[in-house]
Structures are given as structure tokens and as C-alpha cells.
Amino acid sequence: MSNAEIIATDPGWIILVKGLLVFATCVVLTLLAIWAERRIVARMQERPGPNRVGPLGLLQSLSDGVKLALKEDLIPAAADKIIFVLAPIISATTCFMAFAVIPVTGQVSLFGHQTVMQMTDIPVGVLYVLAVASVGVYGIVLAGWSSGSTYPLLGGLRSSAQVISYEVAMGLSLVSVFIYSGSMSTSDIVAAQSQWWYAVVLFPSFVIYAISMVGETNRAPFDLAEAEGELVGGFHTEYSSLKFALFFLAEYVNIVGVSALATTLFLGGYHAPPGLGFTESWLGGWFTAIWFFAKVAAFFFLFVWLRGTLPRMRYDQFMQFGWKVLIPVSLFWILTVATLRLLSQQGTSRTGLLIVSGVVIAIIMFVNIAFDNAKQKKKNTPRPTLSKPDFAVPELPNKGSDRV
Amino acid sequence: MPESVLFWIMGPLAVIAAIGMLLVKKAVHSALLLAWVMITLAFFYIAQGALFLGIVQIVVYTGAVMMLFLFILMLVGVDASDSLTETIRGLRPIAITAAIGFGGLMVSLIGRATLGRESVGLDQANAAGNVEGLAYQLFSTYVFPFEAVSALLITAAMGAMVLAHHQREVPRSTQRDLSEQRFRSGSLATAAGLPGPGVFARHNAVDVPALLPDGTPAPASISETLRARGDMRDSSQFQLDQVNTEVKDEK
């Protein structure tokens, strides 16, 4: 039985329980994630990190949350009041929605009812996650706009440009997964990875997704929308109290969300790593949830590691990287994957596939050499001496230009 | 049944938002209401079994197109709202009459239009799956219009790029160039960058020049823009020997 058929037999109260579980898991994971991030970053910077409240400082985020809620709630006089209040609500509600289509376990028994821990299984599940994420960005953009001051506005502008660009790269990296699994439903994609994880088969897609998911969630080194060194706090500069807490919650739930999607699409979802398949039946199937969350935790550790290691990118470099590197590379990769897939479906012999792969590798090497040559040439040409114009005149459009 | 409940809840909301979009003054509010109308349309598509279309509607229109709209509108600023004065007298009644007339014409025409053939029904259309059925139609019967539309969109994007393009006479100076220029130009005084406004001065506002070690003000510490606008304070009044440093008795 497919996941969709199993879910179709769920009575209403099971769906309600699943919804509550999704919400509770996300909130608890957020508290744990904040604690884990602070501890891990602290360890990387050779200091202990929060260790006073509760065992190992585990209750630190909880006490911070209570403190945040008790702070005074300010609305700036120049703010657009309705949208200022609406923005954190949009952020905090949409971030949970992506979890509706993520399969967390295989078939398990929930209060005596056979089901899978996935709220709904729609044939365009992955696109649904993208759609929800794109609505969630409205929260950040509107927060930046409605605050009525400069830094938040700059943060909001950066965020909207950044998310549009990186969503393109993210969408393109998913296309090859769709081509290989022949489906856009999350459970089908997990099922298609029973032999080989797509992180291995479609390694370039995995790398592109991993990069763009950091850009999509506004995390270091791509946290240009917040950029506390340049923009104070970026889009949430003017927010305080519970509204700020909602943005904080949304950020961490989003991180868990993109990590869960990456797990589902590239790391075999709730399946055990190769060779440990016998563990999937432990605890009546619930052990698969442990595998799932272990993979999500690994992605979260990657996020923290990046934050602890890399300096923030400059904005123009970041956009250039997205449009001039990630997107062309993913387009080329999709072309390759589609060609190979079509050839293997039409029953081309192994030699045919190898020849095509050889041609692709040759093209990559050729482009690489051409790039290196162009770089060398640019390095060797003497730079023209810069001189200030005597008076300000607009540049003539067709005057001999040496670079376009 | 659930579909009609959905319709009677979402339908009025969509219509209210659509009318509100025309009536609100701030452009960003209009854009938001339009985004909401698009999301409700997506709900309707999904409720009628067009799952793929509904989701793509949100991804493309709400996620990308409206976001670009907002991007532009945000540059206008929070307080900017449309001017509602009539520049040509009598324009408003004429426009409203024409709009109602045109709307009525369209409703009456489209309301009476027929497809020219029997509809096959949702079950048959989705027989091979909603996504597969749509893909089959797009890449068989409608492949030419589909490609034509994509060519049109690419042409539009190219056109926009050509219009916004300008050729540089000299290459844009990089961070390295600027750094070299600072060190190789006549004096090394500004090699570490210009002083910030208000440094060592009695006020740290952006229009107050920094004070140099000898107490003289440094006009170079004020932004060029402020200077061009004439918003800069007279720097001599901030010179150390001009400033009244006498401490008054506190009450």
C-alpha cells in the first residue's frame, strides 16, 4: 500500500493528533536547536556556552523565551501598524506548513491505528513545500517594509532579492530528483531511494540544494537580510517581545524544515543507512523516526558549522554566485541528467551511456580550461589608470568600451 | 459539499480583497491584497482537482511575480500613497462608466460562451495523474503555443535587459583597485579611509564634522550627499577653541 492510500484511511482524530505532534515537535526542536547551536558555536570558539539554567544549560532557551514574552512590545510611530503586526504572523504560521508532507516514519501503529507519520501525501508535495516557503518570505519582506526605518527596509529588500534568486537554484536542483524518481510526491521519492540515496546518485544536485537552502533560510554566511554588522538586525531591527520571538521561532523551524526536505529528497528520508535496514522494524517501526531526526540533526550541525566557520559574504558577490554559478551549473546538470535518463530508458547499451558521460566530462574540462585562460589573460592585462572626470557628464553609450 | 462551503467562504473574501485592492491608497497594501486574491484562486484550483495548477499559481505568481512587485514598491517608501486628485476634469465618471460597461460586456459574452465540445470530466482528464495529464497536453497538443509563450517571455526579459543596460567606459574599480588608489595617491592621510562624522566632537550626529587631533574640524568626514544638499552644519562652530567648555552650575 502506498502512503497516500494509508493516509486516506485516517480518521479525523488521527489527523488532529498528527497536526499537534508536528507543532509540538517543531517547537521543542526549536528550543533544542537554539541550545545546541549556542553550545556548538561556543565549543568551536573555545568557550563553554550557556551552562547555568538546567542540566548542561538545556533550559536556557526556555528561560530566554519567557524573558522575551515579558518584554515591552513596541510599535514604532512610523510603522504601518497592520502590516507590522501581520508580518511575524505570516512568518510563524507558514514555517510549520511544510511539515505536512514530510514522511517522518514508515508504517507504524498510532493509538492502535496503522498509519504513517505524514499528514498528507499529495502528488506535488515538494512543490507544495516550495510554495509555502515562498509565502513565508512575505513575512520578512513586509516586516522590513512596514517598520518605517532604513535598516529594516534594506534588510527586507535584500531578503526579497536573495530569496527569489536562491529559490530558482533550489527549484532547479530538485528537477533532477523529479526526473530520477519519476514523481514529485515526497513519499514516492523516499521509496525510490530504497537502493541508492540521491545524495550519491545526484551529487551535484545535492550540493546545489545544500547551498541554496542556507541562502533560502537567511543563515550565515548568507544572512545578509539580518547582517548585524551592517544593518543592526536587518528586517527585525524594530521588533521586540513576542513579535521578535515569532521571527526567531520561524527562522529555526525553517532550518529544520529545509533540513527535513533535504533528508527526504537526498538522504533516503526515514530509511536506515545502507546495511542497517534491519533496524527499521525495531520499536514497531518507530525506530525510523530516529533515523529521520538523526539525519535532520546532521544537517542542522552543518548549518551551525557553517556559521561558526565562514565570514558573511558581500551582497554583490552573493548574488553573482547565485545567478552566474549556481543556476548555470544546475541547468547544465539537468540537461545531463535528462539525457542519461532518456538514454537508459530507451535501453541504450552501457557503452552509449559511457560515451555520453565522456562527452559531458570533456565539455566540463574544456569550459574549465577556457575560464582559466580568460582569468590569466585578465590578470596579465595592465589596468588602465583611473582618473576622475573634470566635470560630471553622463557616459556616452557607444564610446569604445573595453568591457561590457 | 465541502467544495461549496469552501467557495462560499473564500469567494467573498477574494471579492472583498479584489475590490479593496482598487480602493486602498498605499501601493503595498494593494499588492498584498492582490497576493491574497492569487492565493484564494490557488485554493479554488486545488479544490477543483487541479492540484498542480494551484501549487504552481502560488509558487510563480505569489512567490515570484508579486515578490518582484513588492521589491519595486518598497523602494517607494512607507508613506508614499497615490495622489487622488483628478488631473483631467471629469475623467473619473467617464472611466467608471467605461469600466462598468466593458465589464458588463465581458461578463455577458463569457457567460454565454461555450467550449464547442463536451467537457470530458475530471476523472478522465486526471486518468494518468494530474501532473502527467497536464504534461502530456503541454508537450503534445499545445506544444507550439507553449513554446511560443516561452519565447515571448524570454524576449521580454531580453528587452528589459537591453533597456536597462549601459556600457562602461572603464571597468568598475574593484576593492583592490580602490585600496591601491588610496595608497598611491599623493598623501597617505586618507589611506585608512576617511574619518567618520562626529568623532571626538561634542555631538555624534551625521552632520557634525569629526575633530582632528589639533581640535580643527574635518569637513571630509561628512557624507558627500549631505554636503551637496547643504545639510552640513558650519564646521567652524565645532572647532575646539570656539566651543564653550564652561560648566554651568547644575540646579
Short mmCIF file of all heavy atoms in Angstrom, two decimals, chain B residues 62-105:
data_model
loop_
_atom_site.label_atom_id
_atom_site.label_comp_id
_atom_site.label_asym_id
_atom_site.label_seq_id
_atom_site.Cartn_x
_atom_site.Cartn_y
_atom_site.Cartn_z
N THR B 62 2.41 34.25 -6.58
CA THR B 62 2.59 34.83 -5.25
C THR B 62 4.06 34.90 -4.90
O THR B 62 4.54 35.88 -4.35
CB THR B 62 1.84 34.00 -4.20
OG1 THR B 62 0.62 33.58 -4.77
CG2 THR B 62 1.58 34.81 -2.98
N GLY B 63 4.79 33.82 -5.20
CA GLY B 63 6.16 33.73 -4.75
C GLY B 63 7.13 34.56 -5.56
O GLY B 63 8.01 35.18 -5.00
N ALA B 64 6.97 34.60 -6.86
CA ALA B 64 7.97 35.29 -7.68
C ALA B 64 7.44 36.63 -8.21
O ALA B 64 8.04 37.67 -7.96
CB ALA B 64 8.40 34.39 -8.82
N VAL B 65 6.30 36.62 -8.90
CA VAL B 65 5.85 37.84 -9.57
C VAL B 65 5.48 38.92 -8.56
O VAL B 65 5.95 40.05 -8.62
CB VAL B 65 4.66 37.53 -10.50
CG1 VAL B 65 4.10 38.78 -11.09
CG2 VAL B 65 5.09 36.57 -11.58
N MET B 66 4.65 38.54 -7.55
CA MET B 66 4.24 39.55 -6.57
C MET B 66 5.42 39.99 -5.73
O MET B 66 5.48 41.13 -5.28
CB MET B 66 3.13 39.00 -5.66
CG MET B 66 1.78 38.95 -6.29
SD MET B 66 1.34 40.46 -7.16
CE MET B 66 1.32 41.63 -5.83
N MET B 67 6.37 39.09 -5.52
CA MET B 67 7.54 39.46 -4.73
C MET B 67 8.36 40.52 -5.47
O MET B 67 8.84 41.48 -4.86
CB MET B 67 8.37 38.20 -4.46
CG MET B 67 9.46 38.37 -3.44
SD MET B 67 8.86 39.04 -1.90
CE MET B 67 8.32 37.58 -1.09
N LEU B 68 8.47 40.36 -6.79
CA LEU B 68 9.17 41.38 -7.58
C LEU B 68 8.43 42.71 -7.52
O LEU B 68 9.04 43.77 -7.40
CB LEU B 68 9.29 40.92 -9.03
CG LEU B 68 10.43 39.95 -9.31
CD1 LEU B 68 10.42 39.54 -10.76
CD2 LEU B 68 11.75 40.62 -8.98
N PHE B 69 7.09 42.63 -7.59
CA PHE B 69 6.25 43.83 -7.46
C PHE B 69 6.58 44.54 -6.16
O PHE B 69 6.84 45.74 -6.14
CB PHE B 69 4.77 43.39 -7.39
CG PHE B 69 3.99 43.70 -8.61
CD1 PHE B 69 4.22 42.99 -9.77
CD2 PHE B 69 3.01 44.68 -8.58
CE1 PHE B 69 3.48 43.27 -10.89
CE2 PHE B 69 2.28 44.95 -9.71
CZ PHE B 69 2.51 44.25 -10.86
N LEU B 70 6.56 43.77 -5.06
CA LEU B 70 6.82 44.33 -3.74
C LEU B 70 8.20 44.95 -3.70
O LEU B 70 8.40 46.01 -3.12
CB LEU B 70 6.76 43.22 -2.69
CG LEU B 70 5.43 42.99 -2.00
CD1 LEU B 70 5.61 41.93 -0.94
CD2 LEU B 70 4.96 44.26 -1.36
N PHE B 71 9.15 44.25 -4.32
CA PHE B 71 10.54 44.73 -4.35
C PHE B 71 10.59 46.15 -4.90
O PHE B 71 11.23 47.03 -4.34
CB PHE B 71 11.35 43.78 -5.23
CG PHE B 71 12.81 44.08 -5.24
CD1 PHE B 71 13.61 43.71 -4.19
CD2 PHE B 71 13.39 44.72 -6.31
CE1 PHE B 71 14.96 43.97 -4.19
CE2 PHE B 71 14.73 44.99 -6.33
CZ PHE B 71 15.51 44.62 -5.25
N ILE B 72 9.87 46.37 -6.00
CA ILE B 72 9.86 47.70 -6.61
C ILE B 72 9.11 48.68 -5.72
O ILE B 72 9.56 49.79 -5.46
CB ILE B 72 9.19 47.65 -8.00
CG1 ILE B 72 9.86 46.60 -8.89
CG2 ILE B 72 9.21 49.00 -8.67
CD1 ILE B 72 11.32 46.83 -9.09
N LEU B 73 7.93 48.22 -5.21
CA LEU B 73 7.09 49.13 -4.42
C LEU B 73 7.79 49.57 -3.15
O LEU B 73 7.62 50.70 -2.70
CB LEU B 73 5.79 48.43 -4.06
CG LEU B 73 4.82 48.23 -5.20
CD1 LEU B 73 3.60 47.49 -4.71
CD2 LEU B 73 4.43 49.56 -5.80
N MET B 74 8.60 48.68 -2.57
CA MET B 74 9.26 49.01 -1.32
C MET B 74 10.22 50.16 -1.50
O MET B 74 10.48 50.92 -0.57
CB MET B 74 9.99 47.80 -0.77
CG MET B 74 9.03 46.84 -0.19
SD MET B 74 9.66 45.52 0.77
CE MET B 74 11.37 45.62 0.64
N LEU B 75 10.76 50.30 -2.70
CA LEU B 75 11.69 51.40 -2.95
C LEU B 75 10.97 52.75 -2.89
O LEU B 75 11.60 53.78 -2.76
CB LEU B 75 12.35 51.21 -4.31
CG LEU B 75 13.25 49.98 -4.39
CD1 LEU B 75 13.71 49.75 -5.80
CD2 LEU B 75 14.45 50.16 -3.48
N VAL B 76 9.63 52.70 -3.01
CA VAL B 76 8.86 53.95 -2.99
C VAL B 76 8.78 54.54 -1.58
O VAL B 76 8.67 55.74 -1.41
CB VAL B 76 7.45 53.69 -3.57
CG1 VAL B 76 6.63 54.95 -3.55
CG2 VAL B 76 7.56 53.16 -4.98
N GLY B 77 8.85 53.68 -0.56
CA GLY B 77 8.81 54.18 0.81
C GLY B 77 7.49 53.94 1.48
O GLY B 77 6.46 53.73 0.83
N VAL B 78 7.48 54.00 2.83
CA VAL B 78 6.29 53.64 3.60
C VAL B 78 5.16 54.62 3.39
O VAL B 78 4.00 54.24 3.24
CB VAL B 78 6.64 53.58 5.10
CG1 VAL B 78 5.43 53.19 5.91
CG2 VAL B 78 7.76 52.62 5.34
N ASP B 79 5.47 55.91 3.41
CA ASP B 79 4.40 56.90 3.45
C ASP B 79 3.86 57.29 2.09
O ASP B 79 2.88 58.01 1.99
CB ASP B 79 4.90 58.16 4.16
CG ASP B 79 5.19 57.85 5.62
OD1 ASP B 79 4.46 57.02 6.18
OD2 ASP B 79 6.16 58.41 6.17
N ALA B 80 4.51 56.80 1.03
CA ALA B 80 4.06 57.19 -0.30
C ALA B 80 2.69 56.57 -0.58
O ALA B 80 2.48 55.39 -0.41
CB ALA B 80 5.05 56.73 -1.34
N SER B 81 1.75 57.40 -0.98
CA SER B 81 0.47 56.84 -1.42
C SER B 81 0.08 57.58 -2.69
O SER B 81 0.57 58.66 -2.98
CB SER B 81 -0.59 57.00 -0.33
OG SER B 81 -0.52 58.29 0.22
N ASP B 82 -0.82 56.95 -3.45
CA ASP B 82 -1.18 57.53 -4.74
C ASP B 82 -1.88 58.87 -4.58
O ASP B 82 -2.66 59.07 -3.65
CB ASP B 82 -2.12 56.57 -5.49
CG ASP B 82 -1.40 55.31 -5.86
OD1 ASP B 82 -0.16 55.36 -5.96
OD2 ASP B 82 -2.06 54.28 -6.03
N SER B 83 -1.60 59.78 -5.49
CA SER B 83 -2.32 61.05 -5.48
C SER B 83 -3.70 60.82 -6.08
O SER B 83 -3.86 60.17 -7.11
CB SER B 83 -1.55 62.06 -6.32
OG SER B 83 -2.40 63.10 -6.70
N LEU B 84 -4.72 61.32 -5.37
CA LEU B 84 -6.08 61.05 -5.83
C LEU B 84 -6.73 62.27 -6.48
O LEU B 84 -7.93 62.31 -6.70
CB LEU B 84 -6.94 60.58 -4.65
CG LEU B 84 -6.56 59.20 -4.12
CD1 LEU B 84 -7.40 58.84 -2.90
CD2 LEU B 84 -6.73 58.14 -5.19
N THR B 85 -5.92 63.33 -6.78
CA THR B 85 -6.52 64.48 -7.43
C THR B 85 -6.69 64.19 -8.92
O THR B 85 -5.86 63.56 -9.55
CB THR B 85 -5.61 65.72 -7.26
OG1 THR B 85 -4.27 65.32 -7.53
CG2 THR B 85 -5.70 66.27 -5.86
N GLU B 86 -7.80 64.68 -9.46
CA GLU B 86 -8.06 64.49 -10.88
C GLU B 86 -7.24 65.50 -11.68
O GLU B 86 -7.37 66.71 -11.48
CB GLU B 86 -9.55 64.74 -11.17
CG GLU B 86 -10.41 63.52 -10.95
CD GLU B 86 -11.85 63.83 -11.34
OE1 GLU B 86 -12.41 64.81 -10.85
OE2 GLU B 86 -12.37 63.08 -12.16
N THR B 87 -6.41 65.03 -12.56
CA THR B 87 -5.64 65.97 -13.37
C THR B 87 -6.46 66.44 -14.55
O THR B 87 -6.34 67.58 -15.00
CB THR B 87 -4.34 65.33 -13.85
OG1 THR B 87 -4.61 64.00 -14.25
CG2 THR B 87 -3.30 65.33 -12.75
N ILE B 88 -7.29 65.56 -15.10
CA ILE B 88 -8.19 65.97 -16.18
C ILE B 88 -9.60 65.97 -15.62
O ILE B 88 -10.03 64.97 -15.04
CB ILE B 88 -8.10 65.00 -17.38
CG1 ILE B 88 -6.66 64.92 -17.86
CG2 ILE B 88 -9.04 65.42 -18.49
CD1 ILE B 88 -6.43 63.83 -18.87
N ARG B 89 -10.31 67.08 -15.76
CA ARG B 89 -11.62 67.17 -15.12
C ARG B 89 -12.62 66.22 -15.78
O ARG B 89 -12.63 66.06 -17.00
CB ARG B 89 -12.14 68.61 -15.18
CG ARG B 89 -13.26 68.84 -14.16
CD ARG B 89 -13.79 70.23 -14.22
NE ARG B 89 -12.73 71.22 -14.04
CZ ARG B 89 -12.95 72.53 -14.13
NH1 ARG B 89 -14.15 72.97 -14.44
NH2 ARG B 89 -11.98 73.40 -13.96
N GLY B 90 -13.43 65.56 -14.94
CA GLY B 90 -14.45 64.66 -15.46
C GLY B 90 -13.93 63.31 -15.87
O GLY B 90 -14.67 62.48 -16.40
N LEU B 91 -12.66 63.05 -15.59
CA LEU B 91 -12.07 61.78 -16.03
C LEU B 91 -12.66 60.61 -15.24
O LEU B 91 -12.91 59.54 -15.79
CB LEU B 91 -10.55 61.84 -15.83
CG LEU B 91 -9.77 60.71 -16.47
CD1 LEU B 91 -9.96 60.71 -17.96
CD2 LEU B 91 -8.29 60.82 -16.14
N ARG B 92 -12.89 60.87 -13.93
CA ARG B 92 -13.28 59.76 -13.07
C ARG B 92 -14.65 59.18 -13.47
O ARG B 92 -14.74 57.95 -13.65
CB ARG B 92 -13.28 60.22 -11.62
CG ARG B 92 -13.09 59.08 -10.66
CD ARG B 92 -12.82 59.56 -9.26
NE ARG B 92 -11.49 60.12 -9.11
CZ ARG B 92 -11.12 60.86 -8.07
NH1 ARG B 92 -11.99 61.15 -7.13
NH2 ARG B 92 -9.90 61.32 -7.98
N PRO B 93 -15.72 60.01 -13.62
CA PRO B 93 -17.00 59.42 -14.03
C PRO B 93 -16.92 58.70 -15.37
O PRO B 93 -17.49 57.60 -15.54
CB PRO B 93 -17.95 60.62 -14.11
CG PRO B 93 -17.15 61.83 -13.84
CD PRO B 93 -15.85 61.43 -13.29
N ILE B 94 -16.16 59.28 -16.31
CA ILE B 94 -16.04 58.63 -17.63
C ILE B 94 -15.37 57.27 -17.48
O ILE B 94 -15.84 56.25 -18.02
CB ILE B 94 -15.22 59.52 -18.59
CG1 ILE B 94 -15.96 60.84 -18.83
CG2 ILE B 94 -14.98 58.80 -19.91
CD1 ILE B 94 -15.17 61.84 -19.62
N ALA B 95 -14.30 57.23 -16.68
CA ALA B 95 -13.56 55.99 -16.51
C ALA B 95 -14.43 54.93 -15.85
O ALA B 95 -14.46 53.77 -16.27
CB ALA B 95 -12.31 56.24 -15.68
N ILE B 96 -15.19 55.36 -14.80
CA ILE B 96 -16.03 54.39 -14.09
C ILE B 96 -17.10 53.84 -15.03
O ILE B 96 -17.34 52.63 -15.09
CB ILE B 96 -16.66 55.05 -12.84
CG1 ILE B 96 -15.56 55.32 -11.81
CG2 ILE B 96 -17.74 54.16 -12.23
CD1 ILE B 96 -16.03 56.12 -10.62
N THR B 97 -17.76 54.73 -15.81
CA THR B 97 -18.79 54.28 -16.75
C THR B 97 -18.20 53.30 -17.76
O THR B 97 -18.77 52.23 -18.01
CB THR B 97 -19.38 55.49 -17.51
OG1 THR B 97 -19.50 56.58 -16.61
CG2 THR B 97 -20.72 55.15 -18.11
N ALA B 98 -17.04 53.66 -18.31
CA ALA B 98 -16.44 52.80 -19.32
C ALA B 98 -16.07 51.45 -18.71
O ALA B 98 -16.29 50.40 -19.33
CB ALA B 98 -15.18 53.47 -19.88
N ALA B 99 -15.55 51.46 -17.46
CA ALA B 99 -15.14 50.20 -16.83
C ALA B 99 -16.34 49.31 -16.60
O ALA B 99 -16.31 48.11 -16.89
CB ALA B 99 -14.45 50.50 -15.50
N ILE B 100 -17.45 49.91 -16.09
CA ILE B 100 -18.65 49.09 -15.84
C ILE B 100 -19.18 48.54 -17.15
O ILE B 100 -19.55 47.36 -17.26
CB ILE B 100 -19.73 49.93 -15.11
CG1 ILE B 100 -19.24 50.22 -13.68
CG2 ILE B 100 -21.05 49.20 -15.07
CD1 ILE B 100 -20.14 51.17 -12.92
N GLY B 101 -19.22 49.40 -18.19
CA GLY B 101 -19.71 48.94 -19.49
C GLY B 101 -18.88 47.80 -20.04
O GLY B 101 -19.40 46.76 -20.44
N PHE B 102 -17.56 47.96 -19.98
CA PHE B 102 -16.66 46.93 -20.51
C PHE B 102 -16.80 45.64 -19.71
O PHE B 102 -16.90 44.55 -20.27
CB PHE B 102 -15.22 47.43 -20.47
CG PHE B 102 -14.24 46.48 -21.07
CD1 PHE B 102 -14.22 46.26 -22.44
CD2 PHE B 102 -13.34 45.79 -20.26
CE1 PHE B 102 -13.32 45.37 -22.98
CE2 PHE B 102 -12.45 44.91 -20.81
CZ PHE B 102 -12.44 44.70 -22.18
N GLY B 103 -16.90 45.81 -18.36
CA GLY B 103 -17.06 44.64 -17.50
C GLY B 103 -18.34 43.90 -17.84
O GLY B 103 -18.34 42.67 -17.99
N GLY B 104 -19.44 44.64 -17.97
CA GLY B 104 -20.72 44.01 -18.30
C GLY B 104 -20.66 43.27 -19.62
O GLY B 104 -21.16 42.15 -19.75
N LEU B 105 -20.00 43.90 -20.60
CA LEU B 105 -19.87 43.27 -21.92
C LEU B 105 -19.12 41.95 -21.80
O LEU B 105 -19.56 40.92 -22.34
CB LEU B 105 -19.11 44.24 -22.84
CG LEU B 105 -19.13 43.94 -24.33
CD1 LEU B 105 -20.53 44.14 -24.87
CD2 LEU B 105 -18.15 44.84 -25.06
#
